[in-house]
Amino acid sequence: MPLLARSVQTPLHIDVRRGAVADLGSILADGRISSGGDVAVVVGPGQGEKIAELIRPSLRSADVYMTSGGTLDAAIELGDKLRSRAYDAVVAIGGGKTVDTAKYAATRYALPMVSVATSLANDGVASPVASLIHDGIKGSYGVHIPIAVIVDLDFVENGPERVNRSGIGDVISNISALADWELAREVRGEPVDGLAASLARMGAEAVLTMPGDMTDDAFVTVLAEALISSGLAMAVCGSSRPSSGGCHEIMHATDSLFPGTASHGELAGMGALFCTFLRGDERRFKQMSECLARHQLPRTPADVGLDAEQFVQIVEFAPKTRPDRYTILEHLAMTPDEIRRKLAEYVDAVAGC
């Protein structure tokens, strides 16, 4: 992905709790976000519309725009709508597709943006990246980070459990991404930003060892905060490096070759586990494997409906998705036969856990 605008600016407001949406009106009244109360509220299908109706009485002058989201064309179309009047800010309410669409549109016209997440599927809730589909291929676009981030656990709880659980896979994939970053420093002399690495690692370690599951508010709060920290890590270093390595190369390759296989977080978590196995880090492999199993997330290609030959194609193609990035996949440069052998060993190792 292209280099992002380096910025250590953090959101003015981060709120993760039940009932957080009720305070959205007062947050928007902060003069640093909206001086006159003129805001564009962008909602996705489902809970976004419900939340928009709940907060409407507290917004003095707001227009609500519906977007199906997820594509570059949808983001450009939304951006054109935002030019219809002089808005102070954009409020995106919904899942990852809605938030990413609004982030791109708001950035295009230099509008501050507030992220109100209704799911915890990935770290896009606070990241400087918008993942959008263009010409059938999902690409990553550099955007401004949200000026405020709100996660209301009441609405997260009402969302699909599988969608929320996938965020766990995305967070713990940071551990593999950071190992790839260290490898790139050792082999190619690539600089590593210590603050960004710490932010990405902190959230991943917390989720990896935190007891509980998606029915436990304490665990869900830690997951939400970890996803936000991951997004801030990217903003600090100016690229997705702290949260994206071979794990995400595998995820992007799967999306390209076999679209619709599984969600972003599910594939990132599985890819991270496979890359950790390739590094021979037995302690981390066991720890990550147990975490994914505990939260009912996929660990092997078969878990997401892929056969061995399809996964061989994915791993072989993966480095092409990020030609500027050096990870364990580029380092090993495995042939198809070597990938088949490693995959068989990997499946046995997962079964052994």
Side-chain angles (χ1 to χ4, degrees):
M1 62 172 285
L3 189 68
L4 308 177
R6 181 181 173 88
S7 172
V8 295
Q9 179 186 6
T10 58
L12 297 172
H13 185 92
I14 297 175
D15 197 356
V16 180
R17 61 185 171 89
R18 290 189 180 273
V21 163
D23 293 330
L24 182 56
S26 60
I27 294 168
L28 292 174
D30 186 323
R32 294 170 296 176
I33 297 176
S34 174
S35 59
D38 294 315
V39 299
V41 179
V42 180
V43 301
Q47 292 197 93
E49 295 176 271
K50 180 180 178 181
I51 298 173
E53 288 304 312
L54 287 175
I55 65 173
R56 191 185 290 275
S58 65
L59 302 180
R60 287 174 289 169
S61 179
D63 293 324
V64 177
Y65 297 103
M66 170 69 72
T67 179
S68 56
T71 68
L72 183 60
D73 287 342
I76 292 172
E77 180 183 349
L78 175 61
D80 291 339
K81 292 176 180 177
L82 296 180
R83 297 181 64 190
S84 63
R85 59 181 280 203
Y87 291 112
D88 294 324
V90 176
V91 179
I93 305 172
K97 291 180 180 179
T98 302
V99 171
D100 280 357
T101 301
K103 279 195 294 188
Y104 184 93
T107 298
R108 196 174 186 208
Y109 294 105
L111 291 170
M113 180 263 190
V114 176
S115 174
V116 182
T118 60
S119 74
L120 299 176
N122 56 62
D123 56 20
V125 60
S127 77
V129 178
S131 295
L132 300 168
I133 297 172
H134 181 55
D135 290 337
I137 299 174
K138 181 175 286 187
S140 298
Y141 301 87
V143 295
H144 294 306
I145 63 172
I147 199 168
V149 180
I150 298 171
V151 180
D152 192 319
L153 301 186
D154 288 322
F155 292 99
V156 169
E157 182 180 66
N158 291 331
E161 183 182 354
R162 181 183 173 184
V163 171
N164 289 321
R165 275 192 282 114
S166 68
I168 298 168
D170 201 25
V171 165
I172 69 169
S173 75
N174 287 1
I175 292 170
S176 178
L178 291 169
D180 280 334
W181 205 5
E182 287 292 342
L183 177 65
R185 171 157 66 180
E186 293 170 7
V187 176
R188 300 200 310 184
E190 183 176 326
V192 172
D193 188 306
L195 175 57
S198 295
L199 285 167
R201 181 175 289 110
M202 175 179 62
E205 296 284 5
V207 170
L208 197 62
T209 58
M210 180 76 179
D213 55 26
M214 295 306 298
T215 65
D216 178 5
D217 277 9
F219 177 83
V220 178
T221 299
V222 167
L223 174 60
E225 291 172 345
L227 290 168
I228 293 169
S229 293
S230 184
L232 296 182
M234 291 185 249
V236 165
C237 79
S239 84
S240 63
R241 203 41 157 138
S243 306
S244 174
C247 49
H248 278 60
E249 289 182 337
I250 289 174
M251 182 269 293
H252 287 299
T254 306
D255 280 345
S256 295
L257 297 177
F258 306 102
T261 295
S263 70
H264 176 114
E266 289 173 327
L267 293 174
M270 183 185 72
L273 187 63
F274 181 68
C275 288
T276 301
F277 174 80
L278 293 179
R279 288 188 204 92
D281 189 338
E282 295 181 6
R283 182 184 70 85
R284 278 298 195 193
F285 175 79
K286 183 174 185 296
Q287 194 178 31
M288 292 169 68
S289 182
E290 290 175 348
C291 178
L292 291 173
R294 185 168 68 250
H295 294 290
Q296 303 173 53
L297 287 165
R299 295 183 291 170
T300 67
D303 291 339
V304 293
L306 295 169
D307 61 34
E309 286 308 307
Q310 288 173 321
F311 194 69
V312 169
Q313 291 178 53
I314 288 167
V315 175
E316 187 179 17
F317 180 73
K320 297 182 178 66
T321 67
R322 290 290 183 271
D324 61 327
R325 193 144 292 184
Y326 192 82
T327 76
I328 189 65
L329 300 180
E330 285 82 2
H331 185 69
L332 295 177
M334 296 179 290
T335 65
D337 283 342
E338 289 172 330
I339 297 171
R340 288 187 192 93
R341 179 173 58 82
K342 284 294 184 182
L343 175 58
E345 295 172 359
Y346 168 75
V347 172
D348 287 343
V350 170
C353 284

